[in-house]
Amino acid sequence: MSTRKSQPCMRSEIYCHGELLHQVQMAKLYQDDKQFVDMPLSIAPEQVLQTFTELSRDHNHSIPREQLQAFVQEHFQAKGQELQPWTPADWKDSPQFLQKISDAKLRVWAGQLHQLWKKLGKKMKPEVLSHPERFSLIYSEHPFIVPGGRFVEFYYWDSYWVMEGLLLSEMAETVKGMLQNFLDLVKTYGHVPNGGRVYYLQRSQPPLLTLMMDCYLTHTNDTTFLQENIETLALELDFWTKNRTVSVSLEGKNYLLNRYYVPYGGPRPESYSKDTELADTLPEGDREALWAELKAGAESGWDFSSRWLIGGPNPNSLSGIRTSKLVPVDLNAFLCQAEELMSKFYSRLGNDSQATKYRTLRAQRLAALNAVLWDEETGAWFDYDLENKKKNQDFYPSNLTPLWAGCFSDPGVADKALKYLEDSRILTYQYGIPTSLQKTGQQWDFPNAWAPLQDLVIRGLAKAPLPRAQEVAFQLAQNWIRTNFDVYSQKSAMYEKYDISNGGQPGGGGEYEVQEGFGWTNGVVLMLLDRYGDRLTSGAQLAFLDPHCLAATLLPSLLFSLLSR
């Protein structure tokens, strides 16, 4: 790989590393470290660095706070200056799916969520192209939809659920532009970065690009676009193969699977002071490894969670994070699904040799999933700990990702998954599926519930041929819709996550305040309203009047007897 690809953050001694970043972030001029690294430069970076170097030298490399503040105000612009609001050209009133929603209140709400795409639309100003060195934003040609709140740029895995919602809103051209942006990034950097900033280039996020293409094709049948970009999709999967593969030896056999792994030290620029202070609690020799593991946790999309703390010497502290020591269920299910889709794409394009290659890769991964991650006794898949050579048997919705991804061979898997949810008492949570049952204070743990994780479980069950699995999927959808609708009714906002411990509320925990918007939350709600619009209700109590629904929510064990009569 070229230096640009292997050390992308070295492009910027302002936004990614160096003394200027260190002094500004450790002075905590802003409540959120992300604010500073999102601020454009007023002049060329060389001039900014030269002025800073002189100022720092004059103050023995410790510039007083007031003068540092004045320096930043003089040489940087307010964040968000490089983006302008954008109303998608393909947005229109009354997309067809709204007519499928029987409940009048839910239909009005869905219409309001459809309106939100205009609020979340962004377009880059021309100067990001003409003077890229002055911005942490990576130039993208096409406008896009952002998550919302502090996240004013696009993010990789968020965009999949955003695109699903956009396609229901009949906005295929917007989706095509967003897809093209991601494909352009792969051509330039060899992978899709975590998000659209230079400081995110060292890491990726859950690899859903192939799935995004599949969704777009399903809605448009645009085979020409596939033909033009199939090699770029292959290039992205190659990144994961070359840089994120790990071998697991079990019972004399070797299995190749993937993990999240970012082989770069240094604090994350957007969380610089937190990462630095956390590292200060460790011996100096352990700090670079900590920072690499934090970046791997960010690459997982689950930043942060007990999933990545388990099995270490201190499972209750973020300083014990060990993301790269675990083989994650969801990552391998996403890649298994991508391999199946690539096989399908190549067959569609008449390239049988490449279709066979990806079919073989999927078969190998399926065997590895079954051997390393599947647990027959429990009826679910579990992350595998490479150091302790055992599965993490704690509950996470990600444990059922292979069901969602269609990456299993046993036709009885849905039945077993349903029993697993019942045994874990997950069906007793009335406001959504919890992210874990661990209360660590991290945002990807209890009591938070996240839209994409609801989708993983709900669609996984809904696709099963079992009527009772489909009924539980519906009830889980009803619970999540009610939580989102009730919070929206109170606050006129959608949130990135929800606290399900005491009724539905906006979520909390983690490194920043809960954010409004919100791209993937809106997308999942629209997907559920599209799938179940004829049955879902806005009434808080109505869902519990039906004995089947009551069973699914309150008495899971009763569900089986009710539905088997």
Side-chain angles (χ1 to χ4, degrees):
M1 273 192 175
S2 70
T3 304
R4 184 179 187 190
K5 289 179 181 175
S6 62
Q7 294 187 315
C9 225
M10 303 310 168
R11 291 196 314 157
S12 175
E13 288 183 50
I14 292 172
Y15 295 116
C16 300
H17 61 94
E19 191 186 353
L20 191 158
L21 179 69
H22 181 79
Q23 286 207 41
V24 172
Q25 296 291 48
M26 296 314 293
K28 299 187 181 178
L29 301 181
Y30 306 99
Q31 192 174 355
D32 184 348
D33 282 352
K34 190 176 186 301
Q35 182 166 341
F36 172 65
V37 289
D38 288 356
M39 293 167 66
L41 297 172
S42 301
I43 55 174
E46 296 80 10
Q47 295 171 268
V48 174
L49 284 167
Q50 187 180 343
T51 307
F52 173 80
T53 302
E54 292 166 2
L55 185 65
S56 185
R57 196 172 54 230
D58 292 346
H59 291 92
N60 199 22
H61 300 281
S62 184
I63 304 168
R65 183 186 172 88
E66 276 185 30
Q67 283 169 271
L68 199 57
Q69 185 95 56
F71 168 82
V72 171
Q73 285 173 347
E74 184 180 343
H75 295 91
F76 291 80
Q77 299 171 11
K79 70 167 188 173
Q81 298 292 307
E82 71 274 62
L83 291 161
Q84 55 197 46
W86 171 70
T87 299
D90 54 353
W91 190 94
K92 61 181 182 185
D93 276 317
S94 305
Q96 283 293 309
F97 85 94
L98 292 175
Q99 307 314 311
K100 296 162 78 171
I101 303 169
S102 301
D103 185 294
K105 289 181 181 176
L106 292 182
R107 197 181 319 119
V108 169
W109 179 43
Q112 290 167 335
L113 299 189
H114 173 62
Q115 293 275 350
L116 279 179
W117 298 132
K118 294 188 286 188
K119 187 177 172 185
L120 296 172
K122 300 289 178 190
K123 183 179 181 180
M124 295 196 187
K125 290 182 179 175
E127 48 265 42
V128 183
L129 177 61
S130 58
H131 291 287
E133 72 283 355
R134 295 190 183 185
F135 303 90
S136 65
L137 199 67
I138 302 167
Y139 180 74
S140 289
E141 182 181 349
H142 302 281
F144 47 87
I145 303 296
V146 300
R150 79 196 279 263
F151 305 112
V152 297
E153 56 287 294
F154 58 73
Y155 284 77
Y156 183 4
W157 81 314
D158 291 61
S159 296
Y160 163 67
W161 285 276
V162 168
M163 288 180 188
E164 286 277 21
L166 289 169
L167 290 168
L168 287 172
S169 289
E170 299 168 31
M171 296 167 65
E173 277 305 304
T174 296
V175 169
K176 185 177 184 178
M178 292 173 69
L179 255 175
Q180 190 63 66
N181 287 342
F182 285 136
L183 292 160
D184 290 345
L185 288 166
V186 175
K187 289 175 194 168
T188 304
Y189 301 106
H191 68 285
V192 181
N194 182 149
R197 298 274 177 184
V198 292
Y199 55 76
Y200 285 142
L201 280 167
Q202 288 182 333
R203 61 188 194 249
S204 188
Q205 257 193 340
L208 297 174
L209 184 61
T210 311
L211 182 59
M212 294 176 194
M213 177 66 85
D214 185 59
C215 295
Y216 172 73
L217 287 174
T218 301
H219 279 77
T220 64
N221 209 25
D222 188 351
T223 308
T224 305
F225 189 65
L226 174 65
Q227 177 85 57
E228 290 166 353
N229 293 290
I230 186 77
E231 294 306 317
T232 308
L233 294 176
L235 189 63
E236 198 236 353
L237 293 182
D238 287 346
F239 166 83
W240 291 88
T241 302
K242 290 171 184 170
N243 301 290
R244 304 291 191 264
T245 296
V246 65
S247 178
V248 181
S249 296
L250 275 183
E251 297 174 4
K253 284 188 179 178
N254 282 340
Y255 299 96
L256 293 179
L257 286 163
N258 290 76
R259 61 175 173 164
Y260 296 110
Y261 173 67
V262 181
Y264 300 106
R268 291 169 297 150
E270 76 283 4
S271 300
Y272 194 98
S273 65
K274 289 184 176 69
D275 286 5
T276 303
E277 287 165 359
L278 187 64
D280 285 344
T281 66
L282 297 180
E284 195 166 342
D286 296 342
R287 291 172 187 176
E288 295 294 341
L290 167 68
W291 290 326
E293 292 293 357
L294 288 168
K295 289 175 183 178
E299 180 170 84
S300 78
W302 290 53
D303 40 342
F304 293 104
S305 169
S306 58
R307 269 183 91 184
W308 315 131
L309 307 177
I310 201 91
N314 190 356
N316 298 313
S317 169
L318 198 52
S319 63
I321 188 168
R322 48 197 301 276
T323 318
S324 72
K325 308 299 188 292
L326 294 145
V327 177
V329 172
D330 44 3
L331 171 59
N332 285 283
F334 293 146
L335 289 168
C336 181
Q337 181 185 53
E339 287 156 353
E340 182 175 24
L341 290 171
M342 288 296 282
S343 175
K344 184 178 87 172
F345 292 165
Y346 274 118
S347 291
R348 181 171 177 170
L349 297 174
N351 190 333
D352 292 339
S353 64
Q354 286 296 307
T356 301
K357 170 191 161 179
Y358 281 101
R359 215 167 15 251
T360 303
L361 286 171
R362 180 187 183 270
Q364 290 169 348
R365 190 180 299 276
L366 191 53
L369 277 163
N370 287 339
V372 181
L373 306 181
W374 171 252
D375 187 84
E376 180 64 32
E377 187 180 338
T378 317
W381 297 263
F382 297 101
D383 297 343
Y384 182 78
D385 189 323
L386 293 163
E387 288 186 333
N388 297 316
K389 299 191 184 309
K390 64 178 186 180
K391 300 180 183 81
N392 170 14
Q393 298 221 336
D394 287 353
F395 170 79
Y396 302 98
S398 51
N399 294 346
L400 295 181
T401 311
L403 196 61
W404 176 89
C407 198
F408 57 89
S409 49
D410 174 4
V413 153
D415 214 354
K416 293 168 186 174
L418 206 51
K419 186 175 186 307
Y420 169 66
L421 289 172
E422 181 190 22
D423 291 346
S424 308
R425 298 186 57 76
I426 298 308
L427 303 180
T428 64
Y429 290 95
Q430 296 177 30
Y431 299 98
I433 303 159
T435 308
S436 79
L437 300 179
Q438 311 291 322
K439 199 165 186 178
T440 62
Q442 300 301 331
Q443 63 171 350
W444 288 84
D445 273 318
F446 192 86
N448 284 341
W450 294 78
L453 305 185
Q454 313 302 307
D455 180 49
L456 292 182
V457 177
I458 291 168
R459 261 201 299 170
L461 293 173
K463 288 190 283 190
L466 288 171
R468 64 176 177 239
Q470 293 167 15
E471 187 59 30
V472 170
F474 166 71
Q475 186 55 49
L476 292 170
Q478 176 65 79
N479 291 348
W480 187 245
I481 288 293
R482 189 178 64 248
T483 293
N484 282 234
F485 178 76
D486 286 353
V487 172
Y488 187 88
S489 299
Q490 295 161 26
K491 299 183 179 290
S492 299
M494 299 293 287
Y495 292 89
E496 61 168 345
K497 57 187 179 263
Y498 292 82
D499 178 341
I500 59 159
S501 61
N502 187 22
Q505 299 295 331
E511 301 184 297
Y512 54 83
E513 294 300 312
V514 66
Q515 302 296 302
E516 292 182 20
F518 198 85
W520 64 12
T521 311
N522 305 355
V524 170
V525 164
L526 296 186
M527 290 167 76
L528 294 176
L529 289 171
D530 178 63
R531 182 182 282 270
Y532 298 116
D534 59 333
R535 297 177 66 193
L536 290 167
T537 172
S538 58
Q541 299 306 317
L542 296 179
F544 299 105
L545 299 178
D546 181 86
H548 291 58
C549 297
L550 181 69
T553 318
L554 301 177
L555 298 168
S557 56
L558 183 61
L559 175 67
F560 295 86
S561 58
L562 279 168
L563 290 171
S564 58
R565 287 177 188 171

